[in-house]
Each structure stands twice: as C-alpha cells, then as structure tokens.
Amino acid sequence: CTLFSKHKSRDVYTKACGGAQLYPEHVITDGNGLFAGVQCPDETTAEVSGLLDTCATNEGTIPDAEPVEPSCTKTYYKVSDEFNGLATSCAAVDQTADPVIGLDQAGCQAACDSLEGCDTINFRWKDPNFGGESTCYRKNCGSFETAACTLFSKHKSRDVYTKACGGAQLYPEHVITDGNGLFAGVQCPDETTAEVSGLLDTCATNEGTIPDAEPVEPSCTKTYYKVSDEFNGLATSCAAVDQTADPVIGLDQAGCQAACDSLEGCDTINFRWKDP
C-alpha cells in the first residue's frame, strides 16, 4: 500500500509479515493473465485486520506459520519480463518434471540448480493454467547468447532468467532500457563479433563454463513475493533500514534479497537491473 509512482521505479519484492497469507488473492493480472501488480489489501476486512494484529503483536511474524527453508541459488540474469510477452524456446531439461508449482522466483532458480543440465528458467508468478499458482519451467540453453536469441513472442510469456555460460560477460552490454532507463529486455548478442564468438567457443569447449571466471557463492534467501515490476513505474516508500548502507551495487535479484535477509529489520527490496 506504500507504492508510489513515476519516481525511481523498481522491481519490488517483500517477505513482510502476512505475505504468504495475503499474496495469492491480491495479485492483479492483465487480460492475458500476466502479472500487473498487487492490490492494496483492505485493512477494514476481518482477514487483513486480524493478520495485521497478529503481525504487530508477534514482532512481524505469524507464530503458527509453516517454516520455509531458504533457497540457495546461483547468479541468474534477467533476460525477459512477463510484460514483454516472451519466453525462451530452449529445450526442456525434463518435460515430465515440469512445471514445478508454487515456488517463488529464487526457489525456481534453486530448482533449476538442482536439475542437471538446467541453466535457464521460464517463471510465472500467477499462472491461470494452474489455478493461479506460480509455475517454473526448467530449460537448457547452453549459452547466454542462445537464451537471449531464442525468445519467442505472445505465447505463455514468462519472466526469463538464465545462468547460462557467458551471462556475466555479455549481460551488462546487452540489456535494453526504455526512455526512462527501465528494463525493456535483452538484445540478442551478435555471434559474428569476436567477443561473442570467442565466448561461445570457450563455453562449447568447456562444457558450459568459463574456466578462469571468478567463482561466485550461491545466495541463500527467504521467500519473497513480487509486489511491483519496474515497468509499473512504482517503488515502495517504506523507510530505509540504513540509508548510509544503500544502495548495494552489482547484485542479482536473489543476491539483493539475501542482502536484505542479512540486515536486521529489512523485509522489502527496491531492485533495479540496470540503474543509470
């Protein structure tokens, strides 16, 4: 309810008290069933006011809520947003095992990490084909170039994230932003250029890895719910936990969530993939 418009718009995720209970019924979708935002819950209703009272009297927790293990996930780069109407057409790793239902985004990434051969996810927060649950499809693209260049339009559009080989090297220069500097997608890298063809050769000859790349520790993060997308032009105006410590630079989304988990009092993030 504290989203404000047209100023430093961000992807907004929260683990704040009551999210698990209120989120499913408050996600707004557009005519195509795509994530469009979250409706401000009506605090005069019994369900919402009861939850608010429980959260307030229990220091921001629900005492009898099921405990959820944190998801530990490698670094993933955002290739496409649901709003773009795209998904990747890379092959499924195991068509019989997907979709995985009911995960958050970091959980979907962790599910990909646990499935040999998976390097890319097609994720939807609220899938009308599965009773409004989230759905996670695990793909094998082999390289960042393939993940970015196999997006196809207007069919089962998803949030697409990849850890495929070459992402760390190619991602920064291939993110497309709109006139307001907001994420608009990823440009298909030109495989005829020396940089891209060299990376593709390295990935191919080293089983999808860059041998001398810096190792990155997985980020372990609690469950976060998507409240707003950069495209909406919104951010949350909740108070900063420690204004002198932010922004944290250069993280992926799960890394930002893990940074929030490590800072006492933090329960919500404003995140931007490419900040001018």
Side-chain angles (χ1 to χ4, degrees), residues 210-226:
I210 308 287
D212 54 352
E214 287 284 317
V216 179
E217 284 296 306
S219 298
C220 295
T221 179
K222 294 181 180 173
T223 300
Y224 281 74
Y225 299 93
K226 186 175 185 177

Side-chain angles (χ1 to χ4, degrees), residues 24 33 95-103 122-137 156 158:
Q95 217 153 15
T96 64
D98 287 341
V100 186
I101 310 286
L103 301 176
N122 281 343
F123 180 80
R124 179 178 255 184
W125 270 103
K126 200 170 179 70
D127 195 325
N129 301 312
F130 291 89
E133 295 274 359
S134 67
T135 48
C136 171
Y137 290 86
K156 295 183 178 175
R158 297 288 189 271

